[in-house]
Amino acid sequence: CHVASRSTEGASREMGQVAAQPWAHCSELCWEVFERSFAIRRSPKSSSGFVLFPYRLNILLAGMNPLYFHAVNVILHCLVTLVLMYTCDKAVFKDCRLAFVTALFFAVHPIHTEAVTGIVGRADVLACLLFLLAFLSYNRSVDQLYVGEHFPPTASPFFLLLSLFLGTCAMLVKETGVTVFGVCLVYDFFSLSYNGLKLRNGAIPQRPSRPPVPAPWGSSLSGRENGKQQQQQQHRCAQRGAWSSCHPPGPRQQPSLPVPSRAIWAIRSYLTANNNQNFLYTARPFLKRAALVISYVILVLYFRLWIMGGSMPMFSEQDNPASFSPYLLTRFLTYSYLVAFNAWLLLAPITLCYDWQVGSIPLVESIWDVRNLATLFLLLVMTLLSLHCIAAFKKLEHKEVLVGLLFLVFPFIPASNLFFRVGFVVAERVLYMPSMGYCILFVHGLKKLSTWLNKWRITVPTLFALLLLLFSWKTVKQNEIWLSRESLFSSGVKTLPHNAKVHYNYANFLKDQGRNVEAIYHYKTALKLYPRHASALNNLGTLTKDVVEAKDYYRRALQLNPQHNRALFNLGNLLKSQGKKEEAVILLRDSIKYGPEFADAYSSLASLLAEQERLKEAEEVYKAGIENCPESSDLHNNYGVFLVDTGSPERAMSHYRQAILLSPAHHVAMVNLGRLHRSLGQNKEAEVWYKRFLGGRGRLYYHICISTTPSLLEGGLWLCNAVALLQAQVLAMMGRTKEAEKMTNHILNEDAECLECYRLLSAIYSKQELYAKALEAIEKALQLKPKDPKVISELFFTKGNQLREQNLLDKAFESYKRAVELNPDQAQAWMNMGGIEHIKGSYITARDYYEKALQLVPNSKLLKENLAKLDRLEKRFQEVQEKDQT
């Protein structure tokens, strides 16, 4: 009577519980996290094992309470905001007010909701924090006060090495973190080194044939003129708001020189600085740093590829349809448009969704598609920003545009499909890092706008405050969407009804909730939108009651994806139930082949082989399963059942204990271990495990069982039989009715007066549509003559249900009537009596019964619908009578 446990098939992935590890094994834990994160086949391999370590710390310190996971994410977001403000103050605006405004704008941007609210988004937030720290460390490593003939040397090797370390950590957390090295090198070349040369020369050499280039800030002016300009600047700074920086002004620029010409001239002057000396000689300190960083990045990328097993992530067509298009033009136009679409999400986060796959954004297949205008417009904007950056190259303002562009463009490159295929169409969380650049550019634009408006400058802060309020409101509303699975998945259906993936996810949720009719509707909707959705077909097969239809769904799923291990598993089990065992064995072996981490497939195959007396093969399957799925508590429990059946109780005991060690709440393994001790005559040990089971959630079922079946307390078998009955109830709820029936009959053989056993048998037979047997079981329960009127009322109610299923409405009505006589609060019985009268056409009597039921359950939608139906029928009847009279 030992019971094998099976994990219910889940269509959605959830982070499993991780056992707490002692601090002494911290180094082993780190390496284990590394290996396991990248070794999984078909995994995205984009969020590395490094980020799993904070999750494990969460579990170690606070358990699996989601509140603390979210709290850590919010704290990290606050840290990123503070570090961004510091970065803007020290390396971008040189103005704490503008830095604060930038950080404030970043803090409330709605695009961050997915990264901060979703627990899995921690990778993006943590990588962003490390990204900024690496950038600041690199900035600190360069001597910014250097005056000489070379580019500034490395002032602090420690901070340079620290930058490499932090950048590596950022990359190990999220692959986009590696872009910090490119940002540092470009910033070094165009900003830090430029300042060093500028300070040495006082001004960049100019050609006499060109209009004079404005002297940079920091160059010497004549004493009186300089003093006068400083006084004027201080007076202007006192009147300015937070939109303008208070640095010394440079001389007026020549208005006659066009912006592109100024830009080209500035770059040429810069590259030919230091009296036209050899550039390689001049840039030697920078080139040393660049060589070190580039070599290190190549080494780190090779290490990451090695950790990933030398393979790139594998994705399906539904993850990124454009990357699977056979046409180069379609891929190019779609990728280009997606860049513009992401830019629009940063600019106007109006329509946000947790998933943008499968039909959310149709492919751009023609150059005449109107969406190409968005791509061209973005190209124009980026070109103008680049020219503006180059034109502002001789002023400190060029840092604002330069850093903004670097922070915006570089972190987005890995998600652009430029170098490798990514596993999404649009993902809001990957915009977390690029949004820093957007916020810097936005504030820079507001500062310029404030300067241009002059007298109307006050309108800019006002409009910005309104924008902050709007963004804050949108962020709050988005967080409400992320409160639960239902709100999240239903919002996807409302926001993107043409997205097959959101219908599929919502159907998975409905399936988990037992709302199968709605789930079937959304699975079919997903298939209409994306007919090649193999998983939707597989899950439809699990919901249909028609065996032929289910088999058809599984086969269609396998036609689309022959390696769909869940469809192979489900079809194998279906054939197994039909007695086609050889075919089932082949399918289950294939399920293991294409999904070696799927523990249920090992259990199902091994039990099938054991049924065929192929015990050696079955044991080999169990051992292979435990080797590939060492943390599957169900597999250990099932192997223990197999060992008991094959005469190895001692080995079985160790696997039961391992199952409980892996899953301390594994009640089936507790009961199995207790029954094994009892069969070996070790009654004290058996009692310990039974009581441990009853100390958990089994206690409630135990008290229900004892209150309805006092005979279980008699004799020495009370505890064993009570637990066995609970076990049978669990099996029945899991749909394993044959095993539940067998166990219940076993209890009845030992105790023929087990009232709850007859009730359970009735429920099992009813589920098997054996209504005559179900009625017989209830009759036997009534013959025991229980003393509690409510228990008798429940039995008559159940009897009425069985009679109604056999269409014996009169007898069913009498049973329901007897039930309400014993317990007038039995609302369901009143409603069923009303339903029978409704069917017979006794509308007045039916209304009376419905209204009595409604008094007991005033919020019942079904009762209200039935009363509304009666109203419509009576109205039609009156209309017919009026017509007959006329």
Side-chain angles (χ1 to χ4, degrees):
C1 293
H2 291 251
V3 181
S5 57
R6 297 179 188 169
S7 301
T8 56
E9 181 193 358
S12 59
R13 297 179 183 174
E14 299 177 0
M15 190 177 74
Q17 182 172 354
V18 183
Q21 299 288 336
W23 289 102
H25 301 297
C26 206
S27 60
E28 296 178 8
L29 171 62
C30 289
W31 185 250
E32 175 195 351
V33 163
F34 259 91
E35 287 187 317
R36 292 180 54 199
S37 299
F38 292 102
I40 299 174
R41 291 181 68 248
R42 292 184 171 275
S43 70
K45 300 181 181 179
S46 59
S47 181
S48 85
F50 200 80
V51 76
L52 294 182
F53 193 70
Y55 289 131
R56 292 218 173 190
L57 287 179
N58 252 120
I59 297 168
L60 181 66
L61 298 175
M64 292 295 290
N65 191 333
L67 174 64
Y68 296 101
F69 284 90
H70 289 297
V72 171
N73 277 24
V74 172
I75 291 170
L76 286 174
H77 180 59
C78 293
L79 288 175
V80 170
T81 303
L82 292 174
V83 176
L84 176 63
M85 182 172 68
Y86 180 83
T87 304
C88 290
D89 182 32
K90 299 299 181 183
V92 184
F93 295 108
K94 302 287 186 179
D95 187 320
C96 60
R97 293 168 298 176
L98 293 178
F100 174 76
V101 169
T102 304
L104 186 61
F105 188 50
F106 175 84
V108 302
H109 202 298
I111 203 69
H112 300 153
T113 304
E114 180 180 351
V116 179
T117 305
I119 293 176
V120 73
R122 182 177 301 180
D124 299 271
V125 183
L126 183 57
C128 187
L129 179 62
L130 295 168
F131 179 101
L132 288 172
L133 293 175
F135 176 78
L136 288 172
S137 298
Y138 188 92
N139 196 20
R140 181 78 178 272
S141 71
V142 179
D143 187 358
Q144 300 184 42
L145 300 179
Y146 168 79
V147 177
E149 61 180 5
H150 300 289
F151 278 37
T154 301
S156 173
F158 168 77
F159 278 104
L160 181 59
L161 295 176
L162 179 62
S163 173
L164 295 178
F165 172 74
L166 292 171
T168 304
C169 293
M171 183 205 69
L172 292 175
V173 170
K174 189 78 174 178
E175 67 279 353
T176 51
V178 75
T179 58
V180 69
F181 296 117
V183 171
C184 290
L185 291 180
V186 176
Y187 182 76
D188 186 355
F189 183 79
F190 284 103
S191 182
L192 299 178
S193 297
Y194 165 73
N195 289 339
L197 286 175
K198 176 185 66 178
L199 288 171
R200 189 188 70 81
N201 292 324
I204 289 182
Q206 304 165 18
R207 295 188 182 182
S209 59
R210 293 280 185 179
V213 177
W217 298 352
S219 60
S220 59
L221 300 172
S222 60
R224 182 180 302 175
E225 183 179 355
N226 187 24
K228 184 184 293 185
Q229 288 187 3
Q230 287 181 355
Q231 291 176 2
Q232 293 174 353
Q233 173 67 5
Q234 290 172 1
H235 177 69
R236 286 195 296 270
C237 284
Q239 297 177 345
R240 278 183 171 172
W243 299 115
S244 300
S245 153
C246 291
H247 296 288
R252 292 182 303 165
Q253 296 185 8
Q254 297 293 336
S256 59
L257 192 62
V259 171
S261 300
R262 278 209 322 268
I264 296 172
W265 175 244
I267 290 293
R268 289 179 62 187
S269 299
Y270 172 44
L271 294 179
T272 56
N274 198 23
N275 298 323
N276 295 320
Q277 290 186 12
N278 185 274
F279 174 75
L280 293 178
Y281 174 75
T282 305
R284 186 169 56 185
F286 165 76
L287 293 177
K288 286 182 179 179
R289 288 193 295 272
L292 173 64
V293 171
I294 293 172
S295 301
Y296 181 77
V297 169
I298 293 173
L299 181 64
V300 167
L301 289 177
Y302 175 80
F303 172 72
R304 181 181 174 93
L305 189 62
W306 174 74
I307 287 290
M308 292 167 62
S311 63
M312 296 301 292
M314 297 177 64
F315 303 108
S316 64
E317 183 181 355
Q318 57 183 298
D319 296 324
N320 188 351
S323 64
F324 285 85
S325 174
Y327 304 107
L328 178 62
L329 179 64
T330 299
R331 294 200 299 273
F332 173 76
L333 293 177
T334 305
Y335 291 158
S336 302
Y337 172 71
L338 289 178
V339 176
F341 187 86
N342 279 279
W344 174 251
L345 287 180
L346 287 174
L347 184 65
I350 300 170
T351 301
L352 299 178
C353 185
Y354 73 91
D355 198 302
W356 290 86
Q357 297 180 5
V358 196
S360 301
I361 302 176
L363 301 182
V364 182
E365 299 177 323
S366 169
I367 59 174
W368 305 113
D369 193 311
V370 69
R371 290 175 293 173
N372 290 320
L373 294 176
T375 305
L376 294 175
F377 182 73
L378 176 66
L379 180 62
L380 176 63
V381 170
M382 295 302 292
T383 303
L384 292 175
L385 279 173
S386 301
L387 290 175
H388 175 61
C389 178
I390 296 172
F393 198 70
K394 309 288 281 184
K395 304 182 298 179
L396 283 177
E397 275 188 358
H398 87 280
K399 280 191 176 183
E400 302 172 12
V401 186
L402 175 64
V403 175
L405 285 174
L406 291 178
F407 280 19
L408 176 67
V409 174
F410 271 68
F412 186 73
I413 289 175
S416 64
N417 289 282
L418 184 61
F419 297 108
F420 48 81
R421 176 184 295 166
V422 298
F424 51 83
V425 178
V426 172
E428 294 166 15
R429 63 185 179 277
V430 304
L431 294 177
Y432 188 84
M433 273 199 270
S435 66
M436 295 189 298
Y438 164 72
C439 293
I440 292 171
L441 292 174
F442 185 83
V443 173
H444 171 74
L446 289 180
K447 185 185 78 170
K448 297 298 257 182
L449 183 62
S450 177
T451 304
W452 293 337
L453 289 176
N454 198 7
K455 293 182 180 180
W456 300 95
R457 189 181 301 137
I458 190 64
T459 59
V460 176
T462 304
L463 293 175
F464 180 72
L466 291 175
L467 182 63
L468 282 179
L469 289 174
L470 183 63
F471 272 28
S472 300
W473 172 82
K474 180 66 174 177
T475 301
V476 171
K477 300 303 289 184
Q478 282 298 114
N479 274 271
E480 291 176 359
I481 288 173
W482 282 78
L483 281 175
S484 66
R485 283 182 69 201
E486 183 172 15
S487 60
L488 181 65
F489 292 156
S490 61
S491 73
V493 173
K494 295 173 185 175
T495 305
L496 298 174
H498 51 286
N499 182 341
K501 184 69 174 293
V502 298
H503 283 281
Y504 171 76
N505 288 340
Y506 190 41
N508 288 339
F509 166 77
L510 294 170
K511 177 187 174 187
D512 294 342
Q513 297 297 310
R515 296 156 63 180
N516 293 345
V517 175
E518 297 173 77
I520 289 172
Y521 168 77
H522 285 283
Y523 280 135
K524 290 183 176 180
T525 304
L527 287 169
K528 287 179 183 177
L529 296 169
Y530 185 68
R532 296 180 55 80
H533 206 308
S535 294
L537 288 166
N538 171 69
N539 289 0
L540 267 176
T542 63
L543 291 178
T544 183
K545 295 181 179 179
D546 188 337
V547 175
V548 177
E549 188 178 1
K551 188 186 296 186
D552 178 61
Y553 282 131
Y554 296 144
R555 293 196 184 279
R556 285 169 59 189
L558 291 172
Q559 286 175 359
L560 295 173
N561 182 7
Q563 299 181 6
H564 198 294
N565 67 311
R566 298 279 176 155
L568 289 165
F569 171 77
N570 289 329
L571 183 57
N573 282 338
L574 190 149
L575 294 177
K576 173 184 172 183
S577 66
Q578 293 180 332
K580 301 178 181 179
K581 296 183 178 181
E582 291 304 322
E583 294 180 60
V585 167
I586 295 172
L587 289 169
L588 291 172
R589 288 192 186 278
D590 286 342
S591 178
I592 293 171
K593 176 182 177 181
Y594 298 120
E597 303 86 16
F598 187 24
D600 287 358
Y602 292 100
S603 293
S604 188
L605 176 60
S607 65
L608 177 57
L609 292 171
E611 288 177 15
Q612 296 177 303
E613 301 297 330
R614 297 159 66 176
L615 301 181
K616 185 176 181 180
E617 293 180 63
E619 184 164 12
E620 289 175 356
V621 170
Y622 273 126
K623 288 180 178 178
I626 290 173
E627 182 181 352
N628 289 313
C629 312
E631 294 188 358
S632 173
S633 56
D634 288 337
L635 199 52
H636 280 283
N637 175 74
N638 296 346
Y639 187 34
V641 174
F642 172 81
L643 291 172
V644 169
D645 293 341
T646 54
S648 302
E650 296 298 332
R651 292 173 59 198
M653 197 174 294
S654 65
H655 284 283
Y656 286 148
R657 292 182 184 276
Q658 183 64 21
I660 297 169
L661 180 65
L662 291 169
S663 178
H666 202 301
H667 300 97
V668 176
M670 292 178 196
V671 174
N672 283 345
L673 186 55
R675 295 181 71 85
L676 179 57
H677 278 297
R678 179 172 172 265
S679 67
L680 296 174
Q682 302 168 356
N683 294 327
K684 289 185 178 180
E685 290 83 354
E687 186 175 356
V688 168
W689 286 107
Y690 286 148
K691 287 183 176 179
R692 180 170 172 180
F693 166 70
L694 295 174
R697 63 182 180 183
R699 181 179 294 275
L700 174 63
Y701 297 112
Y702 165 72
H703 285 301
I704 294 172
C705 177
I706 295 303
S707 64
T708 56
T709 313
S711 62
L712 287 176
L713 287 170
E714 300 171 2
L717 300 177
W718 69 270
L719 186 58
C720 180
N721 285 344
V723 172
L725 179 58
L726 299 179
Q727 201 171 359
Q729 290 173 335
V730 172
L731 288 170
M733 287 187 290
M734 293 170 61
R736 296 160 64 181
T737 54
K738 290 292 185 183
E739 297 172 65
E741 179 187 355
K742 181 180 178 181
M743 181 167 289
T744 308
N745 283 321
H746 177 76
I747 299 172
L748 284 171
N749 289 335
E750 295 183 353
D751 181 7
E753 295 184 358
C754 177
L755 175 65
E756 192 65 22
C757 293
Y758 289 115
R759 295 179 66 178
L760 180 58
L761 270 181
S762 176
I764 292 170
Y765 290 138
S766 180
K767 198 167 187 178
Q768 296 173 342
E769 299 183 358
L770 301 173
Y771 302 116
K773 288 182 122 180
L775 182 60
E776 182 183 350
I778 288 296
E779 292 285 6
K780 288 181 179 180
L782 285 168
Q783 290 172 9
L784 295 175
K785 298 180 180 180
K787 296 179 181 180
D788 190 345
K790 290 186 177 180
V791 173
I792 302 173
S793 173
E794 285 288 340
L795 291 174
F796 274 109
F797 173 71
T798 305
K799 180 180 177 180
N801 289 341
Q802 304 306 331
L803 291 167
R804 181 167 54 86
E805 291 291 347
Q806 299 178 64
N807 207 27
L808 301 172
L809 298 182
D810 291 334
K811 291 183 178 181
F813 184 87
E814 291 302 322
S815 291
Y816 291 138
K817 187 176 180 181
R818 185 80 177 101
V820 296
E821 287 173 356
L822 292 165
N823 181 16
D825 294 334
Q826 179 65 270
Q828 190 68 38
W830 286 111
M831 186 173 71
N832 289 358
M833 290 168 67
I836 292 172
E837 293 297 316
H838 193 157
I839 293 171
K840 291 181 176 180
S842 303
Y843 300 141
I844 297 175
T845 310
R847 180 181 294 278
D848 291 338
Y849 290 136
Y850 283 151
E851 288 176 350
K852 287 180 180 178
L854 193 62
Q855 290 175 1
L856 296 171
V857 280
N859 296 323
S860 173
K861 292 183 179 180
L862 183 58
L863 280 169
K864 292 177 181 178
E865 289 174 2
N866 289 345
L867 285 169
K869 290 177 183 178
L870 281 179
D871 291 337
R872 289 194 295 269
L873 288 171
E874 290 176 353
K875 186 177 179 180
R876 290 177 187 173
F877 183 70
Q878 290 176 0
E879 290 175 355
V880 171
Q881 283 184 333
E882 290 175 0
K883 287 181 180 180
D884 291 342
Q885 290 175 0
T886 56

